[in-house]
Amino acid sequence: MAVLSVREKLAILSDAAKYDASCASSGSAKRDSLRSGGIGSTEGSGICHSYAPDGRCISLLKILLTNFCIYDCSYCINRSSSNVRRARFSVDEVVKLTMDFYRRNYIEGLFLSSGVIRSPDETMGEMVEVARRLRIEEKFGGYIHLKTIPEASAELIEKAGLYADRLSINVELPTDEGVKKLAPEKKPETIRLSMAKLRRKIEEKAEPTLQSRRRERFAPGGQSTQMIVGADTTSDDGILRASARLYGSYHLRRVYYSAFSPIPDSTSSLPLQKPPLMREHRLYQADWLMRFYGFSQPEILAGSNDGMLDLAIDPKLAWALRNRGRFPVDVNRAEREALLRVPGLGTKVIDRIVETRRHRRLRLEDVGRLCHSIAKVRPFIVAEGWSPGALTDKAGLRQAITRSCEQLSLF
Amino acid sequence: MARTQLNLAAHVVRLGSQTDFAGWRDAARRLATNDIPPEDVAWQVEPDREDGASDLPAAQADARLVVPRDFIERAETVICHCDPERFGFLYRLLWRLRSEPKLLSIATDPDIRRLEAMEKAVHRDIHKMRAFVRFRKIGEGPDERYVAWFEPDHYIVERNADFFVRRFTGMRWTILTPHASADWDGERLAMGPGAAKRDAPAEDDAEALWRTYFENIFNPARLKVKAMQKEMPKKYWRNLPEASLIPDLIAGADKAASDMIARMPTSPAPHHAKVKAKHWPTPEPSDVAAPEADDIPELREEAKGCRRCPLWRDATQTVFGEGPENADVIFVGEQPGDQEDLAGKPFVGPAGKVFDSILDDAAIDRHKVYVTNAVKHFKFEPRGKRRIHSKPNAGEIQACRWWLDKELDLVKPNLVVALGATAAQSLLGKAVPITKMRGDVVEREDGLRVFLTIHPSFILRIREQEDKEAERERFLQDMRKVKQLMGA
C-alpha cells in the first residue's frame, strides 16, 4: 500500500468522522495558559470557528485516529465490510495537527474518535497517549473530547478522564434490540456499564479528597452520547424515553441525535434516503424541553396518536395545542414554571418578563417587544388589556398560527 | 446636518478616542451634577486634543449621583459600539436613571431595548472575533510569529486582546485591524494604530490542510446553507481561508449526495472475512440447554441476562444477592436503588449505609450474612438528572421471585429477614401489614422462618431528628432480635 501523506490521511479520517454529531466545546473547567506559558484556554462557553455548508459548526478538529475497524455495524461507514479507503494517523501526527490548527485559531481543541483495531485497549491506549502528549508535553490548555471504547480497561478510562474535558460513549441506537440487530458485535449491556462507571468516577472525583481538600481533575465537561435517528423504527417517543433514561441514569450533559445519513457503499439493510433533518431538529427541541423547560418525557407526546413529533410545528406549540385547558397564562401573575409552558416564550424572555413585571404591568405589545413572534404567544396569554377570549380554543388555531409565522419569516 | 446640530449645542464634549470610557464617565459626571440635560450636549471624538473635558463645568461635589453598578459595566460595553450617537445615548440613560432608578429592569422600555441590542451587537462582534481571527505563521524558530488580519464591526480590539493573551500566552502574535492593532511578544501586550490588510502575511502551509479538513467534514446529504450563513455571515468570508470552498461545495452537494445514494451496495471489502473469522467467530450451535446453576456465582451469571419482566430495559444491570453461600441468615430488601444500579451491588447507597451501621451496632457481621433484594432490577421514573424510585408491582415481584427462591434453595439459611412490605410480599406470597406485624417471625409452609421488619430507607425519610433517632433505635432492637434468632 502506498504511503499516505498527512493531507490524504486527514481527508479520509475527517470524512470518516463527519457522522459524529457532537461538536460542543463548552461546559468544562475554566483554564488559560497564563501560568503554564503554553497554548490554549477554555472559558466556559465554546466557540464555533467555522460553519460548513451543512449548517453545522466547526469547533473542534474532529477526526478518527483510524478508520480500520473490527466491528461491522451496518449504519457505520467504517464498518469492517465497507469498501471505504482506510488510513491511520500516528500519535505524533494528531498532536502536531491539533497544535498547528490551534495556533492559527482554527479550532477550540480536539475531538478524537477511532475505529477499533486489534483490541479495544490498544486503540484506547493510543487515544489516551494523544491526550497525554497534548496536555503534558505541549502544555495544551484547549478542549479535548475523547470517544471512549466501552470495552477498554478501567485504568485507561481513568487516564482518559485525567487529560480529557469530556468523555463519551455512543449508545448508537435507542433500543437494545436495535443495537443487537444493526451492530451485532456491540453489547448494549457493556455500554450501559461503561456509562455507569463513568458517572461514578466523575462523582467520586468531584468530592474533595480528605488529604488535600482539592478536587481531582476528571472529565470536567462530563459525559455525552450519540443516538442515530431513523436507522431503525423506534418512534420519537421511544427515542425521548431513551434520552430521559440516559440523562437520569448517567447524568449525561448532552444526548446528540444524529439523523441517519445515507453512507456510500451502504448495506442493503438500511434506508437509502436523505437524512430526516427536520425530525432530528424536532428531537433536539423536545430534548431542550426536558432539560430547560421542566417538561417530563412522557408528557411531551402524551395525547399524540403515533408517538411522533409534529414536523410542521415545534413540540412546545404542539403540546400547548393539545393542552389548551392550561391556557391562557397571565404574564403579569403566573409562576415562572407556567410561563415556561407558553409557546414562543424562551427562558431569556421569561426572565425579562419576570424582572419587568416587578415594576410595571405588561401589555400585549410589551410582550411583543420582548419575544421573537407575538403571533405564537398571543392565543396563550393574558396581559394588561388583553385576553385571548375564545381564541385559545378556536378550531383553526393551529393553521392561523402557522400561517402568521410563515408570513413573518417571509419578510 | 449633524455637524450644524452639534455646534448649536450648549456643551461640546471632546473624547480622546472611540473607546474613551474614562473620558465619557468624567464628562457625564460633570454634566449630570450640573443638571445639564442631554439635549444641550454634543459628543465628539477628537484624538488629538488633550484634556477633553476642559470646557465643561467641574462636577458638583455635593450633588448626589447614584448609578447602579450594572449600568457602568453595561455602558463600558456599549461604548465599544460603532454607533456615533452612543455617547449621547448613554448620557440620556444616565439622565433618566436619576429619576427612574429601576429603569434598567424595565426590559420593555424602548431605550432599554436599544441598550440591549447594542450590547448584544458588541458581544456578538467580540465573540466573532474570537472565532474568526485566523493567524498566519511567519518566521521559524526564535523568529516565529503569528499575525492575523481582522475587520470587526465595532471598536472591540482593546477589550478583546486579553482573551488572546490568555489563550495564546506561549506564542508571539499580532492582530491587525483597520482601527487598532494588538501585539503580544510573549510577555507584554501593546496596543497600536490601525493597519491595512496588505500589512498581514500571505497564506501559510497549514491553510491547505485546514481546507482539506473543511471540505471533508462537510456532509453533502445535509445541506443547510441558511443555517451556515446565519452564524457565519458573508462579510467575514473574505478573511477566512476555507470560505473560498463554500460555493463549490454547495453547488456540488446535490450531486455528491445523490451519488452516495445511487451507489449500490457492493460486496464486502476483501479483508472483512478475515476480520470476522478472527474476532467474531460464529459460536458453535449447542443443542443442550444451559445446565441449571448449582451455585451462587453461576446463578448470578445467569441472572445477568434476565428478561422475566420488562424492568431490565431501563436499568443498568441486574443487581444480584451477595454474601457467603453458607450464611445463616438472608436479608431481603425491596429493589436496588440509584447507587446499587450503578455499582451492581446490593445495599451500597444511603439506605445501605444506615443498614451497615445498625448491623454493626447489633454485632452482626455483614460479611457473614447474605444480602439480596426481592426485585433485582432498579425501577424508576427519570426526573431531569434524578431517578425517582418507584415501587415494584405484584407482577414484577412475582417474576423475580424465581431468583429469590433459587437463592434460598442454594444458601439454605435458618432465618430470612424481610426488610419492608415488598420483601415480605415476595417471601410470604401475599401482602402483609408490615407495621402491625413488625418483629414477628412467620413460619412458612416449607418451615423457613421469616422475620418481619421495616426497610432501612424508612429511617432515612424521617425529617425530625428525634423521631429518626427513635426509629433507628427500634430497628436496632429488631436487629438484636435477629442476632439471637440466628443462633437458634
Side-chain angles (χ1 to χ4, degrees):
Chain A
M1 197 169 71
V3 180
L4 296 173
S5 69
V6 169
R7 191 169 163 182
E8 285 168 308
K9 289 185 188 179
L10 180 62
I12 293 168
L13 293 171
S14 53
D15 187 275
K18 72 179 159 206
Y19 306 98
D20 247 307
S22 162
C23 65
S25 53
S26 54
S28 189
K30 270 195 164 193
R31 250 193 331 259
D32 62 42
S33 36
L34 285 177
R35 217 174 339 148
S36 70
I39 304 280
S41 61
T42 52
E43 305 205 340
S45 64
I47 298 174
C48 303
H49 287 267
S50 193
Y51 288 81
D54 52 22
R56 295 198 289 188
C57 101
I58 298 175
S59 166
L60 302 168
L61 169 62
K62 200 192 296 181
I63 48 172
L64 263 58
L65 191 59
T66 176
N67 64 342
F68 285 101
C69 192
I70 58 173
Y71 291 90
D72 198 42
C73 311
S74 44
Y75 49 79
C76 180
I77 185 164
N78 305 311
R79 69 188 185 283
S80 128
S81 63
S82 159
N83 282 296
V84 75
R85 277 184 89 193
R86 308 277 171 172
R88 181 179 181 177
F89 272 130
S90 69
V91 169
D92 259 351
E93 286 165 337
V94 176
V95 171
K96 187 171 180 317
L97 258 182
T98 308
M99 292 309 292
D100 279 354
F101 280 4
Y102 197 90
R103 282 198 186 94
R104 288 164 176 81
N105 203 40
Y106 298 163
I107 51 171
E108 286 290 285
L110 174 68
F111 173 107
L112 189 61
S113 178
S114 184
V116 176
I117 35 166
R118 290 204 279 278
S119 80
D121 269 1
E122 188 174 328
T123 308
M124 193 66 218
E126 279 196 26
M127 293 169 78
V128 171
E129 179 58 13
V130 169
R132 191 197 66 81
R133 287 268 304 275
L134 282 169
R135 285 282 188 252
I136 307 297
E137 287 172 24
E138 303 288 335
K139 292 192 269 183
F140 177 67
Y143 195 89
I144 300 178
H145 178 158
L146 296 182
K147 179 123 284 170
T148 61
I149 314 229
E151 287 83 4
S153 72
E155 299 88 85
L156 281 171
I157 300 296
E158 181 136 16
K159 271 195 184 165
L162 191 65
Y163 305 123
D165 290 280
R166 175 173 280 182
L167 300 175
S168 62
I169 306 163
N170 283 354
V171 294
E172 315 290 6
L173 294 155
T175 64
D176 288 9
E177 290 85 349
V179 179
K180 290 233 158 87
K181 190 167 152 240
L182 296 176
E185 299 95 1
K186 291 213 168 162
K187 293 196 181 62
E189 301 84 0
T190 314
I191 297 170
R192 287 164 189 232
L193 277 177
S194 307
M195 292 201 283
K197 267 191 231 157
L198 263 183
R199 178 187 146 190
R200 292 183 77 206
K201 204 87 215 163
I202 290 169
E203 283 172 359
E204 177 195 319
K205 301 277 182 174
E207 299 280 327
T209 57
L210 280 174
Q211 284 105 356
S212 65
R213 295 197 169 275
R214 270 192 50 206
R215 293 191 174 89
E216 272 181 89
R217 189 194 149 78
F218 190 87
Q223 61 168 329
S224 65
T225 194
Q226 167 169 320
M227 244 182 317
I228 298 164
V229 173
D232 67 357
T233 54
T234 312
S235 70
D236 291 342
D237 196 47
I239 291 170
L240 293 173
R241 184 181 156 80
S243 299
R245 169 173 70 76
L246 290 166
Y247 284 125
S249 300
Y250 311 118
H251 296 188
L252 299 183
R253 291 287 179 87
R254 285 291 298 273
V255 173
Y256 289 93
Y257 304 97
S258 169
F260 171 69
S261 192
I263 47 176
D265 191 32
S266 170
T267 63
S268 44
S269 60
L270 288 166
L272 285 173
Q273 44 185 275
K274 278 205 169 192
L277 296 185
M278 184 48 87
R279 186 177 174 202
E280 181 189 284
H281 179 60
R282 295 287 181 235
L283 280 167
Y284 276 118
Q285 288 178 316
D287 186 279
W288 211 260
L289 293 183
M290 294 197 285
R291 289 189 297 142
F292 302 107
Y293 287 79
F295 281 75
S296 76
Q297 181 268 322
E299 69 182 326
I300 292 175
L301 276 162
S304 87
N305 304 327
D306 52 358
M308 294 299 276
L309 294 165
D310 198 325
L311 294 180
I313 55 176
D314 71 82
K316 201 185 189 188
L317 177 57
W319 177 85
L321 288 169
R322 280 198 304 271
N323 293 276
R324 300 191 199 190
R326 298 178 61 150
F327 297 99
V329 163
D330 186 343
V331 291
N332 285 303
R333 311 163 77 112
E335 301 271 326
R336 197 167 189 272
E337 286 65 37
L339 290 173
L340 284 168
R341 301 267 165 161
V342 177
L345 295 187
T347 48
K348 280 186 187 158
V349 175
I350 291 165
D351 289 344
R352 294 201 170 104
I353 288 176
V354 171
E355 174 75 8
T356 304
R357 74 183 186 185
R358 288 167 52 207
H359 309 288
R360 62 176 62 166
R361 294 182 63 79
L362 285 104
R363 304 184 60 83
L364 186 65
E365 49 273 31
D366 292 327
V367 180
R369 271 188 214 138
L370 298 179
C371 70
H372 184 65
S373 143
I374 193 69
K376 209 192 266 186
V377 182
R378 195 166 41 205
F380 300 103
I381 60 165
V382 166
E384 182 75 15
W386 164 257
S387 160
L391 184 57
T392 316
D393 298 315
K394 206 174 113 183
L397 182 59
R398 182 196 154 106
Q399 286 72 20
I401 293 175
T402 42
R403 216 177 306 123
S404 55
C405 287
E406 268 165 27
Q407 268 173 3
L408 266 179
S409 63
L410 279 177
F411 295 103
Chain B
M1 169 101 170
R3 174 64 54 178
T4 357
Q5 267 179 1
L6 290 179
N7 288 340
L8 287 174
H11 300 273
V12 179
V13 182
R14 298 182 173 84
L15 297 172
S17 77
Q18 294 287 359
T19 52
D20 180 10
F21 184 71
W24 178 88
R25 195 176 175 173
D26 176 47
R29 192 183 293 122
R30 291 174 185 230
L31 294 164
T33 54
N34 284 293
D35 280 328
I36 299 169
E39 49 279 16
D40 288 352
V41 188
W43 300 80
Q44 295 176 6
V45 175
E46 291 181 22
D48 301 331
R49 275 183 68 117
E50 307 240 322
D51 196 10
S54 61
D55 309 346
L56 302 176
Q60 299 291 319
D62 54 342
R64 252 170 56 91
L65 182 64
V66 184
V67 178
R69 172 177 291 276
D70 191 31
F71 174 71
I72 303 295
E73 277 163 23
R74 296 173 76 173
E76 244 180 313
T77 302
V78 169
I79 209 123
C80 301
H81 199 281
C82 66
D83 184 346
E85 288 175 19
R86 64 193 180 282
F87 308 111
F89 168 67
L90 286 172
Y91 181 59
R92 188 166 85 236
L93 275 182
L94 180 79
W95 185 259
R96 285 188 64 192
L97 276 168
R98 300 195 318 169
S99 55
E100 303 168 74
K102 295 289 177 210
L103 180 62
L104 293 178
S105 300
I106 316 288
T108 53
D109 183 278
D111 273 347
I112 300 303
R113 302 298 313 139
R114 184 172 167 197
L115 177 77
E116 271 186 27
M118 291 173 89
E119 267 180 304
K120 210 171 148 189
V122 172
H123 282 144
R124 186 177 159 89
D125 205 32
I126 285 174
H127 187 79
K128 292 301 180 197
M129 178 174 170
R130 293 174 181 187
F132 298 145
V133 153
R134 294 280 186 265
F135 285 112
R136 286 171 163 172
K137 192 174 95 164
I138 50 174
E140 287 295 332
D143 296 326
E144 185 180 283
R145 281 163 50 84
Y146 289 82
V147 183
W149 166 250
F150 188 70
E151 298 165 50
D153 288 340
H154 304 286
Y155 303 108
I156 55 165
V157 179
E158 271 174 289
R159 201 177 159 83
N160 223 357
D162 282 341
F163 168 84
F164 290 92
V165 172
R166 290 193 296 275
R167 171 157 291 193
F168 299 109
T169 314
M171 200 167 100
R172 295 165 63 200
W173 53 263
T174 309
I175 300 173
L176 306 170
T177 79
H179 164 70
S181 61
D183 180 85
W184 172 255
D185 65 2
E187 279 166 16
R188 253 174 9 93
L189 177 69
M191 298 303 301
K197 188 172 183 174
R198 61 174 182 277
D199 300 329
E203 162 171 359
D204 80 9
D205 54 0
E207 263 164 45
L209 281 174
W210 177 238
R211 275 196 290 267
T212 301
Y213 177 63
F214 187 78
E215 218 172 341
N216 285 285
I217 201 70
F218 159 61
N219 183 350
R222 302 181 52 113
L223 201 61
K224 272 187 175 175
V225 181
K226 256 195 209 160
M228 168 188 69
Q229 281 198 23
K230 189 167 163 258
E231 300 298 335
M232 191 168 72
K234 275 193 166 165
K235 65 180 179 197
Y236 295 112
W237 290 16
R238 60 177 177 272
N239 294 318
L240 296 173
E242 67 273 24
S244 59
L245 298 168
I246 294 173
D248 281 350
L249 290 179
I250 294 173
D254 262 355
K255 191 171 177 307
S258 54
D259 280 358
M260 276 187 358
I261 294 168
R263 217 181 305 168
M264 289 302 287
T266 50
S267 50
H271 65 273
H272 176 58
K274 255 199 260 167
V275 170
K276 224 175 152 187
K278 187 172 168 205
H279 294 282
W280 315 107
T282 348
E284 294 288 317
S286 91
D287 299 331
V288 211
E292 202 144 297
D294 46 23
D295 61 20
I296 290 286
E298 271 179 35
L299 195 62
R300 176 180 295 123
E301 212 39 47
E302 223 178 277
K304 279 185 180 166
C306 179
R307 301 289 185 266
R308 288 178 170 267
C309 77
L311 288 184
W312 66 272
R313 283 178 190 277
D314 289 340
T316 300
Q317 56 190 319
T318 307
V319 179
F320 206 70
E322 216 179 47
E325 232 168 301
N326 56 0
D328 287 337
V329 59
I330 292 188
F331 288 88
V332 183
E334 185 187 64
Q335 59 152 342
D338 182 67
Q339 291 297 322
E340 287 81 7
D341 172 77
L342 298 179
K345 291 167 179 293
F347 282 85
V348 294
K353 300 231 160 67
V354 172
F355 181 61
D356 278 357
S357 93
I358 296 175
L359 280 195
D360 213 35
D361 291 354
I364 299 175
D365 185 349
R366 165 126 182 212
H367 300 292
K368 290 191 176 154
V369 300
Y370 188 90
V371 179
T372 190
N373 281 304
V375 172
K376 315 281 193 240
H377 279 119
F378 181 27
K379 184 181 182 185
F380 63 93
E381 286 299 327
R383 285 264 197 306
K385 290 221 164 162
R386 287 173 57 215
R387 299 193 279 186
I388 310 295
H389 162 280
S390 68
K391 221 173 160 50
N393 63 34
E396 287 147 3
I397 295 170
Q398 181 54 34
C400 217
R401 207 179 146 176
W402 195 86
W403 296 109
L404 183 58
D405 283 346
K406 296 248 165 196
E407 286 175 294
L408 294 172
D409 278 353
L410 288 171
V411 178
K412 297 191 182 61
N414 68 41
L415 180 72
V416 185
V417 180
L419 302 165
T422 300
Q425 187 177 348
S426 175
L427 287 161
L428 302 177
K430 59 174 193 235
V432 293
I434 209 79
T435 37
K436 227 190 256 171
M437 296 177 66
R438 178 176 187 170
D440 289 0
V441 178
V442 179
E443 195 166 316
R444 300 206 313 190
E445 269 178 27
D446 62 358
L448 185 66
R449 294 179 305 158
V450 178
F451 181 92
L452 300 173
T453 183
I454 53 136
H455 193 277
S457 66
F458 176 66
I459 302 170
L460 273 179
R461 287 197 296 268
I462 301 172
R463 292 244 177 108
E464 288 293 327
Q465 198 51 41
E466 221 172 283
D467 299 347
K468 203 183 194 108
E469 284 300 320
E471 191 51 51
R472 188 183 187 279
E473 189 54 36
R474 273 185 82 191
F475 191 71
L476 177 57
Q477 293 310 325
D478 285 349
M479 290 304 110
R480 290 202 168 118
K481 227 184 267 176
V482 167
K483 170 91 178 166
Q484 282 174 355
L485 288 164
M486 274 163 72

